[in-house]
Amino acid sequence: DARVTQTPRHKVTEMGQEVTMRCQPILGHNTVFWYRQTMMQGLELLAYFRNRAPLDDSGMPKDRFSAEMPDATLATLKIQPSEPRDSAVYFCASGFSGGTNTEAFFGQGTRLTVV
Amino acid sequence: AQSVTQLGSHVSVSEGALVLLRCNYSSSVPPYLFWYVQYPNQGLQLLLKYTSAATLVKGINGFEAEFKKSETSFHLTKPSAHMSDAAEYFCAVSFGGYNKLIFGAGTRLAVHP
């Protein structure tokens, strides 16, 4: 059963600490997305990659957030330093874009709490 | 610019009643449209999608949606609500050859006995 795997599922950290969230996309998918979900803002697209190259990270605060794909099986989202306002659920999703648009498949999310 | 508007942040229906969740989109190019469902503490699961084939799209769990270009709408319906349908539902749009999904604010569906 192919699925997007995110780790950790939950993370509590103190303000100022570095946080790294990991995502394993579905094998064969060439597009990876990072979304953030909060009560106030809903689902926001932070960044996405195609064939491991960043296509759009305009939704991401550049001063503290960074997203990378070291290889095709791993995507990371890092926050340094973390702040209480970063508390949210972060979702990774993957899809395949080969000329025909398809849906994105979501992971279970990482619930981040910054205290 | 592409956008999605979901009318009604909360909808409540009785078990067995019709479910209607509204979604209107804005897109300067032919859109691809999606409905996702999110259960508590879970990720988003695809219910159905429209990708320029049949305008009436059938999805999982008895849901369906109809693409109406003249009304720029993609409303989600289910003839008879079940208690297990209680969840949050998101409409999303993408465009061109990309998967980038733009989501609406979501509609929380409550089903009462």
Side-chain angles (χ1 to χ4, degrees):
Chain A
D1 184 22
R3 62 180 68 187
V4 175
T5 303
Q6 290 186 247
T7 56
R9 288 293 312 276
H10 302 274
K11 176 72 175 180
V12 179
T13 192
E14 292 185 346
M15 182 173 62
Q17 296 298 304
E18 178 179 297
V19 175
T20 298
M21 290 168 272
R22 294 178 173 80
C23 168
Q24 181 177 355
I26 293 173
L27 189 64
H29 282 181
N30 64 352
T31 307
V32 172
F33 309 84
W34 284 104
Y35 285 89
R36 176 171 63 185
Q37 185 177 36
T38 61
M39 290 291 291
M40 294 299 294
Q41 300 297 328
L43 279 159
E44 303 173 274
L45 179 65
L46 297 176
Y48 76 107
F49 294 76
R50 169 102 11 94
N51 297 322
R52 296 177 55 202
L55 283 191
D56 184 353
D57 61 1
S58 59
M60 206 162 63
K62 301 293 191 304
D63 56 338
R64 299 183 300 106
F65 284 60
S66 62
E68 296 179 344
M69 279 201 75
D71 61 62
T73 64
L74 177 64
T76 62
L77 180 66
K78 189 173 296 185
I79 308 174
Q80 168 63 22
S82 57
E83 297 181 1
R85 60 179 167 153
D86 301 329
S87 297
V89 181
Y90 291 81
F91 287 104
C92 174
S94 71
F96 181 77
S97 178
T100 303
N101 206 316
T102 67
E103 68 273 22
F105 295 81
F106 281 75
Q108 299 279 61
T110 293
R111 182 176 297 275
L112 174 65
T113 303
V114 183
V115 298
Chain B
Q2 282 68 26
S3 66
V4 173
T5 302
Q6 291 185 240
L7 299 175
S9 59
H10 290 81
V11 170
S12 181
V13 300
S14 299
E15 191 173 20
L18 171 72
V19 175
L20 171 61
L21 304 182
R22 300 177 188 274
C23 172
N24 289 88
Y25 68 91
S26 171
S27 177
S28 56
V29 298
Y32 297 99
L33 294 158
F34 307 82
W35 275 100
Y36 281 82
V37 61
Q38 185 179 32
Y39 298 101
N41 300 314
Q42 299 290 318
L44 280 72
Q45 179 184 3
L46 181 72
L47 273 179
L48 48 81
K49 62 180 179 180
Y50 166 77
T51 56
S52 75
T55 56
L56 181 63
V57 181
K58 294 187 184 299
I60 62 172
N61 302 339
F63 284 92
E64 63 182 36
E66 186 172 9
F67 172 69
K68 291 186 177 180
K69 184 178 179 180
S70 61
E71 299 177 7
T72 62
S73 69
F74 190 58
H75 302 331
L76 181 71
T77 60
K78 182 174 180 178
S80 177
H82 192 272
M83 297 295 288
S84 60
D85 294 327
E88 187 146 23
Y89 292 79
F90 293 91
C91 183
V93 63
S94 69
F95 58 97
Y98 302 96
N99 303 84
K100 177 178 174 178
L101 288 169
I102 299 168
F103 284 90
T107 297
R108 187 169 297 277
L109 175 67
V111 182
H112 51 88

